[in-house]
Amino acid sequence: MTETTHRPPDPGHQQLISLHVNGETHDVLTEPRRTLVDVLRHELRLTGTHVGCEHGICGACTVLLDGAPVRACLMFAAQAEGSEIRTVESLAEGRELSDLQRAFSEHHGLQCGFCTPGFLMLAEGFLAERPQASKEEIREVVASNLCRCTGYQTIVEAIDDCAARRRAALGRQPGVPDPDGAEEREEVR
């Protein structure tokens, strides 16, 4: 019988990378094969990004990379160098929840909460790209992440409500065209 011992990483096989995460730059000495989710959780202590399947299927590890949702378990941390990374920790302002987080709470879009950070980041990236998204489009996007508890309807309702509130807020700002086109409908009457 052979004895197996865990050896610490060989410093000769590590590289220094610089990651821009949630508005801050972090220099990290890590092995080239370390995934982004592992570096976020273990090196930077940003534990809101969850590790689920580690195969890119469940979406629990979803973060934003230059504004687009990506599975942090499917990419090496070194691949994210030079990009802007946002984790779920970036959504709240101190102890004040973001509008999307509040919508999830109001619509009971979470139960056990394990998948919630991935859904929040998926939704944040999607709504930035498609603020006019229909409920059907939202339903299609959230189908890419897995949840065992909610049945998805409350998640869809939360994202749709947040999108509607964002559109309404934009429409109330002076000099900003109404994203719903309400002004155009008024003129047609």
Side-chain angles (χ1 to χ4, degrees):
M1 184 160 149
T2 60
E3 186 176 314
T4 305
T5 59
H6 174 58
R7 284 183 252 169
D10 178 359
H13 287 88
Q14 293 189 341
Q15 66 184 48
L16 182 64
I17 60 173
S18 183
L19 298 177
H20 197 255
V21 184
N22 300 336
E24 295 180 9
T25 301
H26 302 272
D27 292 328
V28 180
L29 186 62
T30 188
E31 296 175 63
R33 65 186 177 97
R34 292 283 304 273
T35 62
L36 179 58
V37 71
D38 283 339
V39 169
L40 290 172
R41 290 183 59 80
H42 301 292
E43 306 301 325
L44 302 182
R45 301 290 186 229
L46 296 170
T47 56
T49 303
H50 292 167
V51 180
C53 68
E54 296 187 83
H55 295 285
I57 297 168
C58 73
C61 67
T62 302
V63 298
L64 298 183
L65 188 72
D66 294 329
V70 298
R71 309 289 204 215
C73 73
L74 292 182
M75 68 182 305
F76 296 119
Q79 290 176 292
E81 198 167 24
S83 296
E84 174 61 39
I85 304 161
R86 285 187 63 202
T87 67
V88 70
E89 288 89 353
S90 74
L91 294 180
E93 290 285 333
R95 297 185 59 80
E96 181 71 28
L97 296 179
S98 73
D99 57 345
L100 183 59
Q101 290 170 310
R102 284 192 310 272
F104 265 67
S105 178
E106 291 166 6
H107 289 274
H108 309 288
L110 53 104
Q111 285 184 14
C112 82
F114 187 82
C115 66
T116 305
F119 275 107
L120 287 167
M121 297 315 290
L122 176 69
E124 187 70 18
F126 176 67
L127 291 180
E129 183 181 309
R130 295 271 306 125
Q132 301 295 338
S134 67
K135 243 184 182 175
E136 189 56 42
E137 290 171 311
I138 293 168
R139 189 172 286 111
E140 186 174 320
V141 165
V142 300
S144 68
N145 281 24
L146 299 179
C147 176
R148 292 179 165 192
C149 303
T150 66
Y152 295 89
Q153 187 57 35
T154 56
I155 294 170
V156 171
E157 289 169 4
I159 296 169
D160 184 54
D161 182 43
C162 179
R165 290 181 190 192
R166 286 180 181 182
R167 288 190 302 266
L170 276 176
R172 289 192 298 266
Q173 292 179 358
V176 175
D178 181 7
D180 287 329
E183 292 171 4
E184 293 173 18
R185 288 191 300 270
E186 289 294 323
E187 292 175 13
V188 173
R189 289 184 188 170

